[in-house]
Amino acid sequence: MRLVLLASTLALAVPGSAAPPDPIAPLFAADQGDTRAVLLLVDGRPVAKRYAAGYSDSNRFISWSMAKSVTALLVGELVADGKLQLDAPAPVAEWRNDARRNITLRQLLHMSSGLRHIEVGQPIENSDTNQVLFVSGTGDMATRAIARPLAFRPGTHFNYDSLTSIILAEIVTRALTDSRDPHVRARAYRDFAEARLFRPAGVTSAFLEFDGAGTQIGGSLIHMSLDDWGRMGRLLVDGKGPDGTQLVAPEWLAFLKTPAPTNPRYGGHVWLSPNGLVSMRGHLGQFVFTGAGGGHSVVLVRLGNTREDRLEAITPTFEQIAARALPPA
């Protein structure tokens, strides 16, 4: 069984015998880009873990767009509490008097809101995302994201963009507090994330970034240690904490992992692979691949700094290593 072979990489080699192969070694090959940290978990236990020179357990690693999946998990907590509804119009007061009032939470999570958001512009600095994150929109990102008009009828067109996730983070914040004080808003969001996700999941290193208005930058900027990204991956597998407590409702996980009508490779702010893997993915090659089958589970975390034009060629290696860690169906 492949699972047993992988688990054996943690055991001491028998004297005189060849050392078992390192399942994550291919991810540190020169042709795989700048890999900085990798963790492989099977059934929640570490099978292999490795850092590039200069990195260690002391580092927090940036999420980039892996933050989108964390935002979706927080939205799910408010849906479970009855404070948000998946198929009701999104509670965005600024949209009440025009066609955007029909945009639902489901459509935002599926990246099919129809809003005119440009993730990658020409030149790249002219994209909506870069302008909001790094140039003229940093003081109040959600206001800029919410103000964009419709380009398509909601629910008809897939358009991946980070501003949609900022809108979702703003919706979460407004559900938690009526305050407009940036410090109060940021504290409410941070406390909610800690109480409902991070602390119960055993995550201790999470650092969330906020804009000048106190909105969490939910599409891009969360930082965690390698082990804590592994814990978030475990949460995406079955929604359970280390002690077996159900932290994320099974029906919410099922929604996240169901293909969007507008893109079969995308669910509710997570990516879906043909081989059944579910993943968080971020700019420059941040990945948390998760899978389950035959009573077993796998989580593969890869963190690094790889040019976007190289990622398409090397991503299959990541997927293959994660998929091979599960026994055949």
Side-chain angles (χ1 to χ4, degrees):
M1 179 184 289
R2 282 177 293 206
L3 188 66
V4 174
L5 290 174
L6 285 168
S8 70
T9 62
L10 286 182
L12 293 174
V14 176
S17 66
D22 179 354
I24 63 174
L27 298 184
F28 288 87
D31 63 354
Q32 294 298 304
D34 179 7
T35 298
R36 295 175 173 176
V38 175
L39 173 67
L40 178 63
L41 304 173
V42 176
D43 295 338
R45 296 185 297 274
V47 165
K49 179 180 178 182
R50 180 174 167 184
Y51 291 102
Y55 298 93
S56 71
D57 287 346
S58 299
N59 290 103
R60 289 188 177 105
F61 295 86
I62 192 169
S63 63
W64 291 120
S65 286
M66 294 197 301
K68 293 176 171 64
S69 303
V70 179
T71 300
L73 290 170
L74 290 173
V75 170
E77 294 302 291
L78 290 171
V79 170
D81 290 347
K83 293 183 178 181
L84 295 176
Q85 295 178 304
L86 191 56
D87 290 307
V92 179
E94 294 89 333
W95 295 344
R96 287 177 182 167
N97 297 320
D98 58 60
R100 296 174 299 172
R101 66 181 177 274
N102 296 316
I103 298 171
T104 66
L105 205 62
R106 184 188 297 269
Q107 290 163 349
L108 288 166
L109 287 158
H110 280 164
M111 294 291 185
S112 62
S113 69
L115 293 170
R116 186 179 295 158
H117 289 157
I118 301 173
E119 182 75 0
V120 180
Q122 294 297 330
I124 192 168
E125 62 267 19
N126 287 344
S127 73
D128 291 336
T129 295
N130 285 328
Q131 284 291 314
V132 168
L133 288 181
F134 307 116
V135 187
S136 58
T138 58
D140 192 343
M141 297 182 184
T143 292
R144 288 281 294 272
I146 287 170
R148 299 296 289 166
L150 286 177
F152 304 96
R153 183 164 58 86
T156 64
H157 184 83
F158 179 80
N159 181 44
Y160 179 87
D161 73 275
S162 297
L163 299 194
T164 289
S165 305
I166 290 174
I167 293 172
L168 287 167
E170 176 68 8
I171 288 171
V172 169
T173 304
R174 293 181 184 185
L176 296 173
T177 178
D178 293 330
S179 176
R180 299 309 301 168
D181 184 314
H183 299 288
V184 173
R185 285 162 47 84
R187 184 168 59 249
Y189 195 102
R190 188 184 301 109
D191 289 350
F192 183 71
E194 287 285 347
R196 298 296 290 268
L197 286 185
F198 299 148
R199 196 177 305 121
V203 171
T204 60
S205 67
F207 179 83
L208 285 68
E209 292 197 49
F210 296 82
D211 71 1
T215 301
Q216 206 279 306
I217 308 172
S220 306
L221 295 176
I222 297 176
H223 308 256
M224 293 187 204
S225 68
L226 174 62
D227 289 333
D228 279 347
W229 281 119
R231 292 182 179 101
M232 292 306 299
R234 280 288 306 142
L235 202 57
L236 196 58
V237 170
D238 58 11
K240 294 181 180 179
D243 63 356
T245 301
Q246 193 74 42
L247 305 181
V248 181
E251 55 267 29
W252 188 253
L253 284 176
F255 159 69
L256 296 184
K257 299 176 185 181
T258 299
T262 52
N263 187 346
R265 297 292 300 275
Y266 201 75
H269 264 43
V270 299
W271 291 94
L272 311 176
S273 300
N275 59 7
L277 294 175
V278 177
S279 57
M280 310 178 185
R281 302 191 181 195
H283 181 52
L284 300 175
Q286 321 314 314
F287 294 101
V288 177
F289 289 101
T290 71
H296 300 282
S297 68
V298 63
V299 174
L300 176 66
V301 183
R302 185 272 188 182
L303 306 167
N305 184 28
T306 302
R307 282 179 8 201
E308 292 294 316
D309 60 356
R310 296 189 60 193
L311 283 177
E312 186 175 353
I314 67 177
T315 300
T317 303
F318 310 151
E319 294 182 316
Q320 290 163 9
I321 288 173
R324 287 171 183 163
L326 288 171

